[in-house]
Amino acid sequence: MKDMFTVTTLPDKIESEIVKYIKNNKLVPGDSLPNEIEFVEMMGVSRNVVREAMSRLRMLGLIQTRPKRGIVVTEPPLLNGLRKVLDPSFLSVNTIKEMMGMRIALEIGITDFIFTNVTNEDIEQLEIIVSRQKAIGVNTLSVEEEMLFHSKIHEIAGNKFILQLNGIMQPTFVFAKENYDSHFRPVNLKLKEQNKIVEHADLLQFIKDGSKDKYQNAIKLHLYPYWEFVYNKQ
């Protein structure tokens, strides 16, 4: 069986060689690369082959052509590829559950960052979001509306990667709530009967009080329907 990373065509080989050139010469974003003609002479292949290889690297975000600079190394946008292919309608239930599990881990794991970084201005913005949600009615919130609170929380945590990842995964959360409502509804009803529903207003109050441990316990309960979904074996 062929290795999935096996180089199979000449453009594949040249693409790999250009990446190797960048690594071997310890080039970093902003550093210049040889032009197409120089790579043709260096690698002994046609210009069309080099052009195709470099076109692929541009699509990956590894290189870019800039006025008066020529070809330069760039920092690739790590999540762009994921953004293009992450359509929840193509995902299995198990994959959706894995993504939900990752969200739970992220939401709980960023607690320390939230309490370290939060400002009075952040709290004011969260209060606006919560007030709007109360006006709409907690039980009638769309997933997109609900995610506004969590997006702001991720912003406060100060990790752009998490913020971008959450934005990319959001359609999957919408898809899950719309297609697996038969799971979420009874879990939420049970929590309501037990008086264990944790709303965004509750989470905000713990942030305002500086109660990190209470917030962390509350966010776990807030996400409990997702937890049940992840570990539901049916």
Side-chain angles (χ1 to χ4, degrees):
M1 181 182 293
K2 282 189 176 182
D3 189 291
M4 66 180 293
F5 297 109
T6 299
V7 175
T8 57
T9 68
L10 193 52
D12 289 337
K13 182 177 185 298
I14 299 307
E15 179 185 351
S16 178
E17 288 297 321
I18 294 173
V19 171
K20 191 183 297 183
Y21 178 93
I22 293 171
K23 291 179 179 178
N24 290 344
N25 288 277
K26 296 181 171 57
L27 301 182
V28 297
D31 288 345
S32 295
L33 278 170
N35 59 34
E36 287 183 2
I37 296 298
E38 290 170 321
F39 272 125
V40 166
E41 295 173 352
M42 192 185 308
M43 298 182 179
V45 295
S46 72
R47 188 168 185 175
N48 284 341
V49 171
V50 170
R51 185 169 292 166
E52 182 176 343
M54 299 193 90
S55 176
R56 295 179 184 183
L57 294 174
R58 284 191 186 90
M59 290 178 65
L60 292 172
L62 285 170
I63 64 172
Q64 188 180 85
T65 301
R66 293 181 181 172
K68 300 181 181 180
R69 291 285 314 280
I71 302 168
V72 298
V73 178
T74 53
E75 182 176 354
L78 299 180
L79 296 176
N80 268 14
L82 184 60
R83 189 187 303 275
K84 292 176 181 177
V85 301
L86 194 56
D87 185 327
S89 60
F90 297 146
L91 303 179
S92 68
V93 176
N94 284 338
T95 298
I96 290 173
K97 287 183 176 183
E98 292 286 349
M99 292 179 66
M100 294 293 183
M102 181 168 64
R103 181 196 170 185
I104 293 169
L106 286 175
E107 293 277 3
I108 296 170
I110 61 176
T111 299
D112 283 340
F113 296 101
I114 295 167
F115 280 81
T116 297
N117 297 335
V118 68
T119 65
N120 290 333
E121 183 179 351
D122 291 326
I123 289 175
E124 289 174 4
Q125 291 174 7
L126 286 171
E127 286 176 332
I128 292 171
I129 293 171
V130 168
S131 295
R132 171 179 164 78
Q133 292 177 346
K134 282 183 176 179
I136 295 172
V138 174
N139 294 329
T140 58
L141 283 182
S142 66
V143 180
E144 293 91 338
E145 189 73 34
E146 181 182 348
M147 290 302 293
L148 285 176
F149 181 89
H150 293 279
S151 294
K152 180 59 187 177
I153 289 294
H154 298 156
E155 180 186 321
I156 293 169
N159 188 303
K160 292 181 180 178
F161 189 86
I162 291 176
L163 189 61
Q164 292 174 25
L165 184 60
N166 183 66
I168 291 171
M169 294 194 302
Q170 183 171 326
T172 303
F173 304 148
V174 175
F175 180 87
K177 289 294 281 288
E178 290 177 348
N179 288 271
Y180 304 108
D181 186 61
S182 59
H183 163 78
F184 290 106
R185 187 181 297 275
V187 175
N188 282 318
L189 285 174
K190 183 178 179 180
L191 288 173
K192 187 174 182 180
E193 290 170 359
Q194 296 174 343
N195 199 29
K196 290 183 177 180
I197 292 287
V198 174
E199 298 178 356
H200 293 156
D202 302 314
L203 296 172
L204 175 56
Q205 189 59 53
F206 291 134
I207 292 173
K208 291 167 70 174
D209 293 343
S211 303
K212 183 170 65 175
D213 290 342
K214 289 183 179 179
Y215 173 89
Q216 195 162 53
N217 289 329
I219 192 68
K220 290 178 183 178
L221 196 53
H222 180 68
L223 296 171
Y224 183 75
Y226 293 103
W227 177 275
E228 278 285 317
F229 177 70
V230 169
Y231 288 99
N232 185 349
K233 301 302 181 182
Q234 296 181 356

